[in-house]
Amino acid sequence: MISVLLVDDEALVRAGLRMILETADDLTVIGEAATGRAAIGAVAGARPDVVLMDVRMPDLDGLTATTAIRARSRPPAVIVLTTFDADDAVFRALEAGATGFLLKDTPPRDLLRAVRLAAAGDAILSPQVTRQVIDRVTAQDRTGRRREALDRLRALTEREREVLVQIGLGHANSAIAANLHMSEATVKSHISRLFDKLAATNRVQLAIAAFRAGLVE
């Protein structure tokens, strides 16, 4: 069972998320919190596999809470939920170490899939959010950061570069394994090395590295 903690200051939102998650046999909601500060305490006590975290809450916002939670030893995956699809919260959430970023109007099936992927270490973001992140970063990089980005990739093996391209294209581990004719375990090993070599904390940062270096257009 994948255990999930719900964090949102609106009880109605938490109830809706719980209703969706409890339709799945492999997911269980082990707790709820209405503030970021309460979420930190709940993570310490309940040790969930995945946290669904709202951005704007009283007492302590979700992004500050995410930073604290991800700084723990063996932290849970954190998926940030928001109503904003073009907001600086996206970038702040990624910097805070969020595993994924979804809009609150994400279809239930996609939400369930995202929780499962996050628990497996294979995060996902709303396609429109990922596109906006990439567009914003590449627009900033037109002033000349490509050479620096290419230099960062020199430490990668050819196979790691291929995996990085697949991540830049938005493929999940299963698709990468099929496209590159390798096992998912091997894909995860390559991604783990990419995180280390590129000092990244989530897949979007890897995708950005691929775009910055011109590996994906």
Side-chain angles (χ1 to χ4, degrees):
M1 293 289 287
I2 298 171
S3 58
V4 184
L5 175 70
L6 305 178
V7 185
D8 196 292
D9 62 332
E10 295 187 27
L12 188 60
V13 172
R14 297 198 306 274
L17 291 172
R18 178 182 284 273
M19 187 180 304
I20 293 171
L21 294 172
E22 289 182 344
T23 64
D25 294 335
D26 59 333
L27 306 179
T28 180
V29 177
I30 60 171
E32 299 183 12
T35 69
R37 199 173 305 281
I40 295 172
V43 166
R47 294 181 175 273
D49 297 312
V50 178
V51 178
L52 291 181
M53 178 77 73
D54 187 24
V55 174
R56 298 184 180 180
M57 294 180 291
D59 186 28
L60 192 71
D61 68 85
L63 302 183
T64 303
T66 296
T67 300
I69 289 170
R70 292 294 297 169
R72 292 176 53 85
S73 175
R74 300 181 67 181
V78 178
I79 299 176
V80 172
L81 295 172
T82 185
T83 56
F84 308 100
D85 64 350
D87 193 88
D88 281 341
V90 178
F91 304 95
R92 291 178 57 204
L94 296 176
E95 290 172 355
T99 308
F101 193 102
L102 293 175
L103 303 181
K104 286 187 176 179
D105 61 359
T106 296
R109 182 178 62 179
D110 292 343
L111 175 62
L112 296 177
R113 178 172 178 264
V115 171
R116 294 184 180 110
L117 288 172
D122 186 8
I124 189 172
L125 283 83
S126 296
Q128 62 268 48
V129 171
T130 302
R131 183 70 260 169
Q132 287 169 354
V133 171
I134 298 300
D135 285 347
R136 176 164 167 173
V137 169
T138 52
Q140 293 171 343
D141 288 351
R142 289 188 190 121
T143 55
R145 296 183 63 181
R146 177 157 294 189
R147 179 167 296 179
E148 176 186 342
L150 283 169
D151 286 342
R152 291 185 64 205
L153 303 190
R154 289 183 189 228
L156 304 185
T157 66
E158 186 60 33
R159 206 55 164 162
E160 288 166 353
R161 279 175 175 258
E162 291 175 349
V163 172
L164 184 62
V165 169
Q166 293 290 307
I167 292 173
L169 293 172
H171 296 312
N173 288 0
S174 57
I176 296 174
N179 293 341
L180 299 183
H181 308 290
M182 62 176 70
S183 69
E184 285 195 49
T186 301
V187 171
K188 288 181 180 180
S189 295
H190 284 308
I191 292 175
S192 178
R193 287 194 287 273
L194 286 171
F195 282 138
D196 290 339
K197 291 184 177 182
L198 299 181
T201 59
N202 53 61
R203 293 172 76 97
V204 172
Q205 290 177 355
L206 294 180
I208 288 172
F211 273 84
R212 278 180 168 161
L215 300 184
V216 180
E217 297 294 346

